[in-house]
Amino acid sequence: MSIKHGLLALLERGPMYGYQLRVAFEESTGGTWPLNIGQVYTTLSRLERDELVRALPENEGGQRPYEITEAGRADLAGWFGTPISRSDRPRDELAIKLALALTTPGVDARTVMQTQRTATMRTLQEYTRLKSGAGNGDLAWRLVLDAMIFQAEAEVRWLDHCEASLVRYAPLPAAPIESTAHDQEGVSK
Amino acid sequence: MSIKHGLLALLERGPMYGYQLRVAFEESTGGTWPLNIGQVYTTLSRLERDELVRALPENEGGQRPYEITEAGRADLAGWFGTPISRSDRPRDELAIKLALALTTPGVDARTVMQTQRTATMRTLQEYTRLKSGAGNGDLAWRLVLDAMIFQAEAEVRWLDHCEASLVRYAPLPAAPIESTAHDQEGVSK
DNA sequence: CGACACATGTAACACGTTACATGATTTG
DNA sequence: CAAATCATGTAACGTGTTACATGTGTCG
C-alpha cells in the first residue's frame, strides 16, 4: 500500500518515468529505505491497470513517463486524508517474539531482551551519528530519521519495562545455589 | 517470517494441530492480532515442506497434529538468539506519508499530522482502557499491550516534534490575509 | 432443526524481494 | 575498451489476506 501511494504522490508533482520515481522516492526518505526498481515497474503496471495512472507516449530518450489520472488524484487525497490506523500496520514481530519467549521451554526471555536491547542501542547510535553528520537542508529526510529514532527509543524503553516486569513477576529464574552457606541478596520486591 | 517462527515456538511446547495453534497464538498476544486460520494451514504446509515440522498420524477426532523437528528447533533457536534488526522491519508508512506530504502540491502536511495525531490519541486511550480493564494474570499479553502503548506514545511525540519543526521551518503557510485590519489570533504554539 | 464452535483445507489475489535479461549512454 | 550509470522489463518465490467449500459435534 505504501509504495502505491508513494508513487502517486510523486506523480502529483508531474509526469515521471520509473527510474526517476525510484530516485525521487529514495531521496524523500534519505535513502533509508532502498526501493527496488523492479517493484516500481510492477506497481506502475498495477496502477495503470486500476486507471490511477496513465502511460504517456515513449519520449526521445526511450523513457516511458506516467501521469496521474483524476481517479489517482482522488485515491491519493483519500490516503492523505485518512489516518493510518493500528489495524493496518504489520504485526510487531518483536512483541510476538518476546511474548512467546516467555512460555517457550528452553528459552530465556531475559537473554532475548538483552540481546535485542544491545542491537537496538547500536542502531540508535548509528542514527544519531547520521543525524549530526549531515547538515541536511532536507526537512523531510530529517523527519524520517527522527521517526526511526523515536521508535528505537521507545523500543529500548519497552525492553527495560519488560525486564522490570519480569523481575517483579519471577524474581530469580532457578538461581544457581551455592553449596556453601552464603547469602543470596538483592532479590527483594 | 513472524508467523512461521510463532508456530514453531508453540510447537516447542508439544505437538498441536492447526486450529489449536491459532487459538494458542491469539492467546499469547491477547487477541490483539487475529490470526487467519487459512494462514496457519498454509504455513504448516511450508514448514513441513522445509522439514521444520513433521505431521503426525491423524488422531481419533480427525485432527492432524504436527511436531517440531530437530531442524525446526535449530531454526527457532536461531530466531530467539538473533535480534530483529531495523532492516528487516517493514517500511514505516506514516513516516513516508508525512515526508511526501511535505512536497506534494495541494496537500497540507499540518492537516495530515493533526488528523493522525487525533486518531493515534484515540487508540492510545483505547489501549489504556484495555490495560486497566482486565485484571490480567497474563504477563505476555500485558507486555504486548505495553509495546503497542509505547509505540503509540512515541508516534504522538514524533508528530508533535514534526509540527514544531514545520513551524520553525515555515512559520506560516501562505497565511490568508484579511483585507480588514483585524488581528489573527490564537495561531501561536 | 438451526446456529455456532470445532476442524481442515484450497484458490485467487496482492504485495514485496531477488535475480535475470537486455540495451543505451557516459566516463575513466 | 571496460566499467558504471541510466533505463525497462520479466520470472520465480515467499508471505499475507480474503473468500470459498466441506464436514462434525454440540447446545438451545
Side-chain angles (χ1 to χ4, degrees):
Chain A
M1 279 287 140
S2 218
I3 285 176
K4 169 184 158 183
H5 290 114
L7 297 188
L8 282 180
L10 292 173
L11 288 176
E12 186 80 306
R13 303 185 192 161
M16 298 176 90
Y17 51 86
Y19 197 89
Q20 236 174 348
L21 283 166
R22 189 188 75 160
V23 173
F25 185 92
E26 291 193 347
E27 254 169 25
S28 297
T29 61
T32 324
W33 289 302
L35 176 58
N36 188 283
I37 181 65
Q39 180 80 25
V40 175
Y41 293 114
T42 54
T43 304
L44 278 174
S45 312
R46 286 189 271 246
L47 285 172
E48 192 180 12
R49 178 202 55 192
D50 300 341
E51 297 185 313
L52 302 180
V53 304
R54 188 184 304 121
L56 296 177
E58 186 171 329
N59 64 16
E60 340 74 50
Q63 294 132 9
R64 308 191 153 279
Y66 288 81
E67 68 176 1
I68 191 169
T69 64
E70 264 319 302
R73 240 174 234 117
D75 194 289
L76 185 61
W79 187 55
F80 277 125
T82 315
I84 293 172
S85 86
R86 291 290 130 184
S87 55
D88 46 44
R89 281 175 229 233
R91 289 182 183 77
D92 182 347
E93 184 166 352
L94 180 55
I96 293 175
K97 189 172 164 179
L98 229 61
L100 291 171
L102 290 171
T103 51
T104 303
V107 173
D108 179 31
R110 247 179 204 103
T111 309
V112 176
M113 290 173 193
Q114 279 152 8
T115 312
Q116 183 68 48
R117 193 182 193 282
T118 311
T120 306
M121 284 297 298
R122 226 187 323 264
T123 68
L124 197 47
Q125 287 173 327
E126 173 66 11
Y127 289 155
T128 344
R129 205 185 55 72
L130 267 181
K131 197 181 167 184
S132 64
N136 304 323
D138 192 356
L139 178 62
W141 134 246
R142 227 162 48 218
L143 292 182
V144 170
L145 226 194
D146 286 330
M148 299 196 288
I149 292 177
F150 276 56
Q151 258 181 242
E153 283 174 345
E155 189 172 299
V156 171
R157 274 197 298 271
W158 179 67
L159 286 166
D160 290 341
H161 169 78
C162 284
E163 243 197 292
S165 302
L166 238 198
V167 168
R168 202 167 308 152
Y169 191 86
L172 267 190
I177 299 169
E178 296 280 325
S179 39
T180 53
H182 286 151
D183 273 347
Q184 289 202 262
E185 297 182 19
V187 190
S188 74
K189 212 9 182 343
Chain B
M1 280 286 142
S2 217
I3 285 177
K4 170 184 159 183
H5 290 113
L7 297 187
L8 282 180
L10 293 172
L11 289 175
E12 185 81 308
R13 303 183 191 161
M16 300 176 89
Y17 51 87
Y19 199 88
Q20 237 174 346
L21 283 166
R22 190 188 71 158
V23 173
F25 185 92
E26 291 193 347
E27 254 168 24
S28 296
T29 60
T32 324
W33 290 302
L35 176 58
N36 187 282
I37 181 63
Q39 179 80 26
V40 175
Y41 293 114
T42 53
T43 304
L44 278 174
S45 312
R46 280 175 248 193
L47 285 171
E48 193 181 11
R49 179 202 55 189
D50 300 341
E51 298 186 312
L52 301 180
V53 305
R54 189 183 303 120
L56 296 176
E58 186 172 329
N59 65 18
E60 339 73 50
Q63 294 130 9
R64 308 190 154 279
Y66 287 82
E67 68 176 1
I68 190 170
T69 63
E70 264 318 304
R73 240 172 233 119
D75 194 289
L76 185 60
W79 187 55
F80 277 125
T82 314
I84 293 172
S85 86
R86 292 289 130 183
S87 55
D88 46 44
R89 282 176 227 233
R91 289 182 183 76
D92 182 346
E93 185 166 351
L94 179 56
I96 293 175
K97 189 173 163 178
L98 230 62
L100 290 171
L102 290 172
T103 51
T104 303
V107 173
D108 179 30
R110 246 178 203 105
T111 308
V112 176
M113 289 173 192
Q114 279 153 8
T115 312
Q116 182 69 47
R117 193 183 192 281
T118 310
T120 305
M121 284 298 297
R122 226 187 325 266
T123 68
L124 197 47
Q125 287 173 327
E126 173 66 12
Y127 289 155
T128 344
R129 205 184 56 71
L130 267 181
K131 196 182 168 183
S132 65
N136 304 320
D138 192 356
L139 178 62
W141 134 247
R142 227 161 48 219
L143 292 183
V144 170
L145 227 195
D146 287 330
M148 297 194 291
I149 291 177
F150 277 56
Q151 257 180 242
E153 284 173 344
E155 189 172 299
V156 171
R157 273 197 298 272
W158 179 68
L159 285 167
D160 290 341
H161 169 77
C162 284
E163 244 197 292
S165 301
L166 239 198
V167 170
R168 202 166 312 149
Y169 190 85
L172 268 190
I177 299 170
E178 296 281 327
S179 39
T180 54
H182 286 150
D183 274 347
Q184 287 202 265
E185 298 182 19
V187 187
S188 70
K189 202 78 216 266

